[in-house]
Amino acid sequence: MASRKKQAPVPASTNPVSMADLARELGVSMTTISRALSDHHSIGPAMKQKVLKLAKKYNYQPNRLASALRKGKSQLIGIIVPYIEGRFFPSVVHGIETAASRAGYNVIICQSNEDVDQERRNLDILLSAQVAGILVSMSRTTLEADHFETVRGRGLPLVFFDRVPEGDNVNAVVLDDQEGGYVSTRHLLSQGARRIAHLAGPQHLNIYKNRLQGYRQALHEAGMAPDEQLIVHTDMSQEQGAAAMRQLLALPAPPDAVFAAGDYSALGAMQEARRQGRRVPQDVSISGFSNEAFTLITEPTLTTVDQRCEEMGQAAVRLLLDVIEAGTAPFTPRQVALRPELLVRGSSVRAAKAEPAAAHLS
Amino acid sequence: MASRKKQAPVPASTNPVSMADLARELGVSMTTISRALSDHHSIGPAMKQKVLKLAKKYNYQPNRLASALRKGKSQLIGIIVPYIEGRFFPSVVHGIETAASRAGYNVIICQSNEDVDQERRNLDILLSAQVAGILVSMSRTTLEADHFETVRGRGLPLVFFDRVPEGDNVNAVVLDDQEGGYVSTRHLLSQGARRIAHLAGPQHLNIYKNRLQGYRQALHEAGMAPDEQLIVHTDMSQEQGAAAMRQLLALPAPPDAVFAAGDYSALGAMQEARRQGRRVPQDVSISGFSNEAFTLITEPTLTTVDQRCEEMGQAAVRLLLDVIEAGTAPFTPRQVALRPELLVRGSSVRAAKAEPAAAHLS
DNA sequence: TTGTAGGCGTTATCAA
DNA sequence: TTGATAACGCCTACAA
């Protein structure tokens, strides 16, 4: 549409200049060039300057393929995630890319689309690409972790994050979900709640099991017997959150607080509570999990738990680099559990500092 | 914590097996191996089967580094984005990765962090990595596109998306923002609105300029003179959206609809309107832009424009592959404009089919 | 149908 | 301090 500027007549495909070209031009050997460029010790400062100047002049770019082939190791880190969408994985990937590039690595990313076979193929591809290490968050359909053994067999550094296999013989970075459930519940207690319900997630997934566990632990420590009626299992959707709330409010003794294992179910619950004329947080306090973007714009804003996505990515890279640097030296698999951060917002803070309320304990 | 399963005593770093290994074992030449594996025509079916069987047995993985080095082209596509967060870029990357891997390519991803220098370094890295092509969404601080000339100079396929340089001598995929502004405004008109305000974004960014342009076009076609008082410039934040709404409602003749150039400012406007006792959409209709996740959970849900993130990624890959396949043949730069999708929701639909309202035209 | 040999660009080893 | 040379693993004329 706009002005046709001076357009190159033909995209005169310039060949990249190689070390051999520089060597020829300077009348020295390739070895010298290589040494100058890689800042080797046995090289004269004068020679080095000459080489660097010429390299700059011709805008020399090292061929990383050749280098990696020769050295047997690339500067690439492979990532396998179920998908790149929503809030969680993109943020983790963001953290990974940032930490990796700071350390001089680049990142090649694959999606498994929650499919084990795709995950297997991704592994093969990354092995073929001679990556220096692999970061994986397993697909939902990955029941056995045997395909990761071939990676191990190659002696290739491997670190799992978030969706990790059980056991302590793998490197893994996870969020401490139990702690998340624990601090959330303790917070609700501190606000004066005495009948705290829990909207649980699918219990075959560790994260939800652990959040429930933390909830139980907090109640136990507070000397409260858990009321199984107050634990409702959902698929974590907004709809089922609302349904669960309906069910809870219909109880003879309805809860005065709800800890949901996810933000969407928390949202559904909050909307349902208000629909039924309950005030949030005065009549019923609510807290969620994941720090979804929308939790800041609900009215009231939603108390939630931040999952430290970026930190998880960075921690995974750090661990991977440790393994890489260990080289062939024996490395004992390490597990890292990140401490979640409770974000206290409007949906759970009752006006009066609620300590005295402990009097009317159930 | 859990059971210590049978743990490999030493991670016996198995060397990857090469074509030479297979050749030795079978007593044939590497050429034969290569041909068998790459399904070359001049190879006996018996031989081929033998080779494939052995390859499977040893779990042979081709070394893509070596292959790429030899062929001068890798199966990698480089992406440079300002960052991997929020809704937009992750979705585009998702689309890119999906389309690329379907075509047998893998994706190496870099963030410029909105910094030209970082963008330059990223370009160098991707060139070094001998990628087959590059997809870029420019950083905010990229005022001149001269550093992309070196990529062109190398004859390396290059496609811009979303944040693209001006002019028609680059390959580019963008959303048709003007169309988005146009259909949004037409929709509000069709609902009976007669004084439509616009919350504009920073006008030095093309996307916002074009959305405003679409708004003007729709009004013009409807035979309405634009009222400059109804065009408020904001930084697209929720806060400024609310402030703008306050200002608009204080006018002698306040608007009966608002088209915001972004969802956050739309949200701010909607909240402010309700705070002042205006009903949405009856008293004032509202529509936003970007289809942020939260637009589905506001009350009422927010009418908005979807930016076709994934399609953008796929279109960018398709265009890139076209350029790659053209090889050295001359390729005329191509620009693709994706048609946005208006998502009509509660914030803009007035109960009665509003055509008759045209009577009380201002 | 199969084999031989050279080279892609870099780095490591050895000798000068 | 520098240079010659041989790999790294794969591909592809060309020859048999």
Side-chain angles (χ1 to χ4, degrees):
Chain A
M1 301 270 158
S3 67
R4 174 169 302 255
K5 297 188 188 174
K6 50 176 178 176
Q7 192 168 338
V10 179
S13 196
T14 316
N15 292 1
V17 42
S18 75
M19 294 198 341
D21 299 324
L22 299 183
R24 200 174 317 113
E25 171 117 1
L26 279 184
V28 298
S29 80
M30 276 175 46
T31 316
T32 304
I33 305 291
S34 172
R35 286 204 260 245
L37 292 172
S38 56
D39 208 25
H40 195 271
H41 63 275
S42 61
I43 179 91
M47 190 72 227
K48 187 164 136 189
Q49 283 317 311
K50 273 211 304 195
V51 173
L52 291 181
K53 220 183 94 190
L54 194 70
K56 187 137 297 168
K57 176 180 165 199
Y58 284 145
N59 189 25
Y60 166 79
Q61 315 252 50
N63 185 327
R64 304 180 95 189
L65 289 181
S67 170
L69 175 60
R70 178 60 234 258
K71 300 207 284 203
K73 270 287 156 272
S74 73
Q75 290 292 103
L76 290 174
I77 290 177
I79 310 181
I80 303 179
V81 286
Y83 48 84
I84 315 170
E85 286 207 303
R87 162 156 170 66
F88 185 74
F89 287 115
S91 290
V92 179
V93 169
H94 175 80
I96 290 174
E97 203 284 329
T98 303
S101 85
R102 217 190 308 275
Y105 285 86
N106 288 102
V107 143
I108 157 170
I109 194 165
C110 302
Q111 302 180 89
S112 66
N113 293 310
E114 302 284 14
D115 174 15
V116 210
D117 292 327
Q118 182 65 46
E119 189 173 88
R120 264 198 202 91
R121 262 167 309 192
N122 287 337
L123 270 186
D124 283 346
I125 286 171
L126 293 178
L127 288 175
S128 282
Q130 315 296 121
V131 294
I134 300 184
L135 299 172
V136 188
S137 194
M138 295 192 302
S139 98
R140 279 268 143 86
T141 56
T142 301
L143 306 174
E144 299 225 307
D146 53 336
H147 48 302
F148 295 109
E149 286 307 313
T150 73
V151 179
R152 269 182 155 233
R154 277 273 205 304
L156 201 64
L158 177 64
V159 172
F160 293 89
F161 62 93
D162 191 52
R163 309 237 204 116
V164 310
E166 303 222 342
D168 62 350
N169 61 344
V170 294
N171 296 297
V173 179
V174 294
L175 185 79
D176 188 338
D177 282 286
Q178 176 162 353
E179 170 79 9
Y182 177 75
V183 296
S184 297
T185 309
R186 292 227 358 157
H187 163 67
L188 294 172
L189 283 168
S190 83
Q191 293 297 310
R194 285 302 169 267
R195 277 184 66 71
I196 304 178
H198 176 50
L199 306 191
Q203 293 297 301
H204 65 278
L205 296 178
N206 269 321
I207 53 173
Y208 298 122
K209 206 161 69 183
N210 292 335
R211 288 170 199 179
L212 171 56
Q213 206 49 47
Y215 161 83
R216 286 190 193 280
Q217 181 192 345
L219 290 187
H220 180 75
E221 283 187 9
M224 296 177 167
D227 180 346
E228 296 300 325
Q229 276 195 311
L230 294 183
I231 299 176
V232 186
H233 292 269
T234 78
D235 65 358
M236 310 305 298
S237 69
Q238 189 179 347
E239 291 72 26
Q240 292 204 10
M245 192 54 148
R246 216 169 300 130
Q247 176 183 331
L248 287 167
L249 290 179
L251 287 177
D256 56 2
V258 175
F259 161 52
D263 284 332
Y264 280 94
S265 53
L267 172 68
M270 184 155 81
Q271 289 174 329
E272 179 64 23
R274 302 184 77 192
R275 230 172 275 135
Q276 299 208 13
R278 305 301 214 280
R279 293 168 307 162
V280 178
Q282 294 84 349
D283 299 330
V284 53
S285 299
I286 295 186
S287 80
F289 211 109
S290 289
N291 192 19
E292 294 284 347
F294 72 75
T295 56
L296 273 174
I297 65 166
T298 55
E299 296 176 279
T301 53
L302 185 61
T303 292
T304 187
V305 173
D306 184 78
Q307 295 177 280
R308 323 294 301 277
C309 314
E310 283 195 42
E311 284 89 344
M312 182 172 292
Q314 295 178 347
V317 170
R318 212 152 32 219
L319 183 46
L320 188 73
L321 291 178
D322 283 352
V323 187
I324 289 176
E325 275 153 26
T328 63
F331 188 94
T332 312
R334 212 187 285 164
Q335 292 84 42
V336 177
L338 296 175
R339 174 166 280 265
E341 184 182 10
L342 178 69
L343 301 174
V344 176
R345 305 225 183 90
S347 67
S348 68
V349 175
R350 296 184 178 171
K353 274 293 172 231
E355 294 312 84
H360 78 288
L361 196 143
S362 69
Chain B
M1 299 273 160
S3 67
R4 175 170 301 254
K5 297 188 187 174
K6 51 177 177 177
Q7 191 167 340
V10 180
S13 196
T14 316
N15 292 2
V17 41
S18 74
M19 294 197 340
D21 300 324
L22 299 182
R24 201 173 315 116
E25 172 118 1
L26 280 184
V28 298
S29 79
M30 274 178 49
T31 319
T32 305
I33 305 291
S34 172
R35 288 204 257 246
L37 293 173
S38 56
D39 208 27
H40 195 271
H41 63 275
S42 60
I43 179 91
M47 191 71 227
K48 188 164 134 187
Q49 283 316 311
K50 273 211 304 195
V51 173
L52 291 182
K53 221 184 91 191
L54 194 71
K56 187 137 295 168
K57 175 181 164 198
Y58 285 144
N59 189 25
Y60 166 79
Q61 314 252 52
N63 185 328
R64 304 180 93 187
L65 251 41
S67 169
L69 175 60
R70 176 60 232 262
K71 299 207 283 205
K73 270 286 157 270
S74 74
Q75 290 293 102
L76 291 173
I77 289 177
I79 310 181
I80 303 179
V81 286
Y83 47 85
I84 315 169
E85 288 209 301
R87 164 157 168 63
F88 185 75
F89 287 115
S91 290
V92 178
V93 169
H94 175 80
I96 290 174
E97 203 285 328
T98 302
S101 86
R102 214 190 309 274
Y105 285 86
N106 288 100
V107 142
I108 158 170
I109 194 167
C110 302
Q111 301 180 90
S112 66
N113 293 310
E114 303 283 15
D115 173 15
V116 210
D117 292 327
Q118 182 67 46
E119 190 172 88
R120 265 199 201 91
R121 262 167 307 188
N122 288 337
L123 271 185
D124 282 346
I125 286 171
L126 293 178
L127 288 175
S128 282
Q130 315 297 119
V131 296
I134 301 184
L135 299 172
V136 188
S137 193
M138 296 192 301
S139 98
R140 279 268 144 86
T141 55
T142 300
L143 306 174
E144 299 225 306
D146 53 337
H147 47 303
F148 295 109
E149 286 307 312
T150 74
V151 179
R152 271 181 154 233
R154 275 276 204 308
L156 201 64
L158 176 63
V159 172
F160 292 89
F161 62 93
D162 190 54
R163 310 236 204 120
V164 311
E166 304 222 341
D168 62 351
N169 59 344
V170 293
N171 295 297
V173 179
V174 294
L175 184 80
D176 189 338
D177 283 287
Q178 176 163 352
E179 170 79 8
Y182 178 75
V183 295
S184 297
T185 308
R186 292 224 2 155
H187 162 67
L188 294 172
L189 284 168
S190 82
Q191 293 297 311
R194 285 303 169 268
R195 277 184 67 72
I196 304 178
H198 177 50
L199 306 190
Q203 292 299 298
H204 64 279
L205 296 178
N206 268 321
I207 53 172
Y208 298 121
K209 205 160 71 183
N210 291 337
R211 290 171 198 178
L212 170 56
Q213 204 51 47
Y215 160 82
R216 285 189 194 280
Q217 181 192 346
L219 290 188
H220 180 74
E221 283 186 11
M224 297 179 167
D227 180 347
E228 296 300 326
Q229 276 195 313
L230 293 183
I231 299 175
V232 186
H233 292 269
T234 77
D235 64 359
M236 309 307 297
S237 69
Q238 190 178 348
E239 291 73 26
Q240 292 203 10
M245 191 55 147
R246 215 169 301 131
Q247 175 184 331
L248 286 167
L249 291 179
L251 288 177
D256 56 3
V258 174
F259 161 52
D263 284 331
Y264 281 94
S265 53
L267 173 67
M270 184 156 80
Q271 289 174 328
E272 178 64 24
R274 303 184 76 192
R275 229 171 276 134
Q276 299 207 14
R278 304 302 214 280
R279 293 168 308 160
V280 177
Q282 294 84 347
D283 299 330
V284 54
S285 300
I286 295 186
S287 81
F289 212 110
S290 289
N291 192 18
E292 294 284 347
F294 71 76
T295 56
L296 274 174
I297 66 165
T298 53
E299 294 175 280
T301 53
L302 185 62
T303 291
T304 187
V305 173
D306 183 78
Q307 294 178 280
R308 323 294 300 278
C309 313
E310 283 194 41
E311 284 89 344
M312 183 173 292
Q314 295 179 346
V317 169
R318 210 151 37 218
L319 183 46
L320 189 73
L321 292 179
D322 283 352
V323 186
I324 289 176
E325 274 153 26
T328 62
F331 187 93
T332 312
R334 212 186 284 162
Q335 291 85 43
V336 177
L338 296 175
R339 175 166 279 265
E341 184 182 12
L342 178 68
L343 301 174
V344 176
R345 305 226 183 90
S347 67
S348 69
V349 175
R350 296 184 178 172
K353 275 292 171 232
E355 295 310 86
H360 79 289
L361 196 142
S362 66

